[in-house]
């Protein structure tokens, strides 16, 4: 009888250890963001830890998707969809799990800009001088704003305003819903790098 109690107690302890071990071993599921911009956020901190989870790829390729030519644009991953631009003039939306193409939108030139995805809208520039707003679900054009030069700057979206630089030496502030220009600031040289939010200021590089 005493031996039976010892065995039973040992089994209970073993089960408890296994359960707690399971809690430790099972990786936390990554939180699915509903917004993402170049280098994660409007501040471009590059800190993806809030959505990265604890899973690691261990160097194994899950899938790949081939476009007509090379890509410089950095992907944004929102709600299980990868959004990325290509030098083949297209913006692509791909299933983040399988790599299956969901839609593509063709611009008039190469897309070097990295998409910003905010509130169900994809904001991205193109070398056809335009900044585009696309429906993130369907890829349908919502609006476009034409500048006087290439737009390979990556948009930053803050409080309903899209900030983007152009090869025409201007930084633009656009209404995120309508694409209407709110203002522009002319620099001494082309504004080809990304605007970013820095406290209450907007910073745009020049070259």
């Amino acid at each position: 009888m005493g031996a039976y109690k010892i065995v039973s107690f040992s089994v209970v302890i073993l089960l408890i250890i296994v359960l707690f071990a399971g809690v430790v071993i099972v990786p936390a599921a990554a939180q699915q963001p509903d917004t993402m911009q170049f280098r994660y956020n409007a501040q471009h901190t590059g800190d993806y830890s809030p959505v990265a989870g604890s899973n690691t790829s261990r160097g194994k390729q899950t899938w790949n998707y081939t476009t007509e030519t090379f890509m410089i644009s950095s992907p944004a991953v929102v709600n299980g969809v990868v959004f990325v631009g290509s030098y083949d003039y297209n913006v692509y939306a791909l299933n983040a799990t399988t790599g299956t193409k969901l839609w593509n939108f063709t611009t008039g030139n190469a897309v070097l800009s990295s998409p910003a995805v905010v509130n169900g809208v994809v904001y991205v520039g193109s070398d056809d001088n335009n900044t585009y707003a696309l429906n993130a679900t369907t890829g349908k054009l919502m609006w476009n704003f034409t500048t006087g030069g290439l737009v390979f700057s990556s948009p930053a979206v803050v409080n309903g305003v899209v900030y983007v630089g152009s090869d025409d030496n201007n930084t633009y502030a656009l209404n995120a819903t309508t694409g209407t220009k709110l203002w522009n600031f002319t620099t001494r040289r082309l504004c080809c790098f990304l605007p970013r939010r820095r406290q209450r200021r907007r910073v745009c590089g020049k070259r």
Side-chain angles (χ1 to χ4, degrees):
M1 184 68 177
Y4 176 78
K5 287 183 178 180
I6 292 172
V7 171
S8 300
F9 181 74
S10 300
V11 170
V12 170
I13 294 297
L14 181 60
L15 286 173
I16 291 172
I17 291 171
V18 169
L19 288 172
F20 276 98
V23 171
V24 174
I25 292 169
V26 175
Q31 180 184 353
Q32 286 292 322
D34 57 8
T35 180
M36 186 174 289
Q37 305 185 40
F38 181 65
R39 292 181 58 80
Y40 183 62
N41 51 22
Q43 291 80 15
H44 306 307
T45 62
D47 179 11
Y48 289 83
S49 59
V51 296
S54 56
N55 289 307
T56 57
S57 65
R58 298 180 181 178
K60 294 182 179 180
Q61 177 177 295
T62 303
W63 55 261
N64 72 287
Y65 182 85
T66 304
T67 68
E68 294 298 321
T69 184
F70 63 91
M71 292 184 291
I72 295 177
S73 170
S74 298
V77 185
V78 177
N79 294 330
V81 180
V82 178
F83 302 91
V84 67
S86 172
Y87 216 79
D88 67 5
Y89 297 16
N90 284 284
V91 180
Y92 291 92
L94 311 173
N95 183 294
T97 303
T98 64
T100 303
K101 185 179 80 173
L102 304 176
W103 55 259
N104 68 283
F105 177 84
T106 305
T107 72
N109 209 324
V111 181
L112 284 69
S113 173
S114 298
V117 185
V118 179
N119 296 330
V121 182
V122 181
Y123 302 94
V124 66
S126 171
D127 282 7
D128 66 2
N129 300 1
N130 283 284
T131 297
Y132 291 93
L134 311 173
N135 182 294
T137 302
T138 65
K140 182 179 179 181
L141 176 66
M142 298 177 65
W143 56 258
N144 66 284
F145 178 83
T146 305
T147 72
L150 313 179
V151 183
F152 44 92
S153 165
S154 299
V157 186
V158 181
N159 296 332
V161 180
V162 180
Y163 301 92
V164 66
S166 171
D167 209 14
D168 66 2
N169 295 11
N170 284 284
T171 301
Y172 293 92
L174 311 173
N175 182 294
T177 303
T178 65
T180 304
K181 185 179 78 171
L182 304 177
W183 53 260
N184 67 283
F185 177 79
T186 303
T187 65
R188 294 181 181 179
R189 298 179 183 177
L190 70 160
C191 188
C192 59
F193 301 112
L194 60 153
R196 66 187 177 95
R197 183 184 181 186
R198 187 175 180 180
Q199 295 179 346
R200 295 186 178 181
R201 295 178 292 172
R202 306 291 177 262
V203 181
C204 183
K206 300 179 291 181
R207 76 172 186 186

